[in-house]
């Protein structure tokens, strides 16, 4: 299927590892001109070179960092037509170690960068009457579960995307969420847990994952690439789980 991404300019946040890296790779493979933004300069340069794209070292937890990411990308590659908000930070693990501070950290590390980056690219997208914004949420945003603060922040991202989608659709811009389930990559959280307690993880897989395995970053990236494409022109305000049936929501 031709996705119509050839030459489109895309910015992917937190794109030097895991799901973000896979998304950047998938978009580049479809011919998009991809900028990757993350905090560590060496990682950003390495990934940009591998993709033949552009790298921006910026602290996306700050307003100034978000502005640098957008302005630098547009100066080098041109107007941003695709934005993938992938940055996500976890704070606390249960109610025993979660309070107001953890909720503030989670919202600042998930929702707020997505809002700030989206607001920076939207004027141009609306003026050109074409744009794609994708927010990487979680199944623990579509339904209750996981760390309480992270759950609330991911729910807030989904609410933000749904509301924004209705606001900008008439200007040719679509906004959608992807909600990954448990995704395994080397060096990621599930990789660390698997190495620390393989028996507990084996039991988790048997109990919670109908496919009998973790998801892969590339499987999430394939869905994101479609949502960024011309082919997804009627998909707007959606939150699509990519979890192999792990979640239980009827919505």
């Amino acid at each position: 299927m031709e996705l119509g991404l050839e030459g489109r300019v895309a910015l992917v946040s937190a794109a030097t590892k895991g799901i973000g890296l896979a998304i950047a790779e998938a978009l580049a493979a479809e011919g998009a001109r991809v900028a990757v933004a993350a905090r560590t300069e060496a990682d950003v340069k390495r990934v940009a070179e591998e993709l033949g794209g552009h790298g921006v070292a910026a602290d996306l937890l700050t307003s100034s960092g978000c502005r640098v990411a957008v302005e630098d990308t547009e100066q080098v590659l041109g107007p941003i037509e695709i934005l993938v908000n992938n940055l996500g930070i976890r704070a606390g693990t249960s109610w025993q170690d979660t309070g107001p501070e953890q909720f503030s950290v989670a919202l600042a590390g998930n929702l707020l960068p997505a809002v700030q980056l989206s607001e920076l690219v939207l004027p141009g997208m609306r003026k050109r009457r074409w744009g794609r914004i994708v927010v990487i949420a979680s199944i623990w945003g579509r339904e209750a579960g996981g760390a309480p603060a992270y759950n609330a922040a991911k729910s807030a991202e989904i609410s933000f995307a749904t509301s924004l989608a209705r606001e900008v659709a008439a200007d040719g811009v679509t906004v959608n969420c992807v909600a990954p389930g448990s995704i395994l990559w080397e060096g990621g959280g599930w990789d660390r847990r698997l190495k620390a307690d393989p028996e507990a993880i084996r039991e988790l897989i048997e109990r919670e994952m109908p496919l009998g395995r973790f998801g892969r970053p590339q499987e999430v990236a394939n869905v994101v690439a479609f949502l960024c494409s011309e082919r997804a022109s009627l998909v707007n305000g959606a939150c699509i789980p990519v979890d192999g049936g792990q979640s239980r929501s009827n919505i």
Side-chain angles (χ1 to χ4, degrees):
M1 180 184 292
E2 172 57 53
L3 296 182
L5 293 175
E6 184 75 33
R8 296 285 190 187
V9 175
L11 172 62
V12 185
S13 67
T16 59
K17 58 185 177 181
I19 293 173
L21 174 58
I23 292 169
E25 291 172 337
L27 294 175
E30 292 293 333
R33 304 169 67 202
V34 180
V36 296
R39 183 179 295 178
T40 305
E41 186 171 4
D43 292 340
V44 163
K45 287 184 176 180
R46 171 182 52 81
V47 172
E49 289 177 2
E50 291 172 355
L51 299 178
H54 180 60
V56 185
D59 183 0
L60 300 177
L61 297 179
T62 67
S63 297
S64 60
C66 290
R67 187 169 296 278
V68 165
V70 170
E71 291 179 351
D72 192 73
T73 296
E74 296 198 325
Q75 183 177 2
V76 175
L77 298 182
I80 294 169
E81 299 165 285
I82 296 166
L83 171 66
V84 181
N85 290 300
N86 177 63
L87 181 62
I89 291 178
R90 189 180 300 271
T93 58
S94 68
W95 283 109
Q96 281 62 51
D97 63 0
T98 298
E101 180 181 354
Q102 285 69 37
F103 276 85
S104 294
V105 170
L107 287 168
N110 291 275
L111 174 65
L112 296 187
V115 172
Q116 291 184 97
L117 288 169
S118 298
E119 288 189 335
L120 287 167
V121 302
L122 270 169
M125 288 182 176
R126 298 180 85 170
K127 183 178 180 180
R128 294 185 301 274
R129 303 195 63 79
W130 197 94
R132 298 286 188 266
I133 296 176
V134 179
V135 179
I136 307 304
S138 170
I139 58 171
W140 301 134
R142 296 182 72 245
E143 59 186 71
Y150 182 79
N151 190 181
K154 289 303 183 183
S155 294
E157 282 187 329
I158 295 170
S159 177
F160 155 68
T162 304
S163 176
L164 184 61
R166 294 183 60 85
E167 178 70 18
V168 301
D171 294 322
V173 181
T174 65
V175 185
N176 292 288
C177 279
V178 168
S182 298
I183 308 298
L184 180 68
W185 72 86
E186 186 174 357
W190 285 114
D191 183 50
R192 294 192 296 272
R193 295 177 206 177
L194 179 61
K195 291 173 179 175
D197 194 345
E199 180 59 26
I201 296 301
R202 184 190 64 79
E203 293 175 358
L204 174 70
I205 291 172
E206 290 182 355
R207 184 177 67 251
E208 299 291 341
M209 302 178 193
L211 291 182
R213 64 171 177 85
F214 285 101
R216 296 183 290 269
Q218 295 77 11
E219 292 174 308
V220 179
N222 290 338
V223 177
V224 174
F226 172 72
L227 290 175
C228 293
S229 76
E230 298 280 1
R231 300 292 187 178
S233 55
L234 191 61
V235 185
N236 187 45
C239 183
I240 301 174
V242 186
D243 65 354
Q246 182 180 356
S247 57
R248 292 175 168 80
S249 174
N250 286 327
I251 300 174

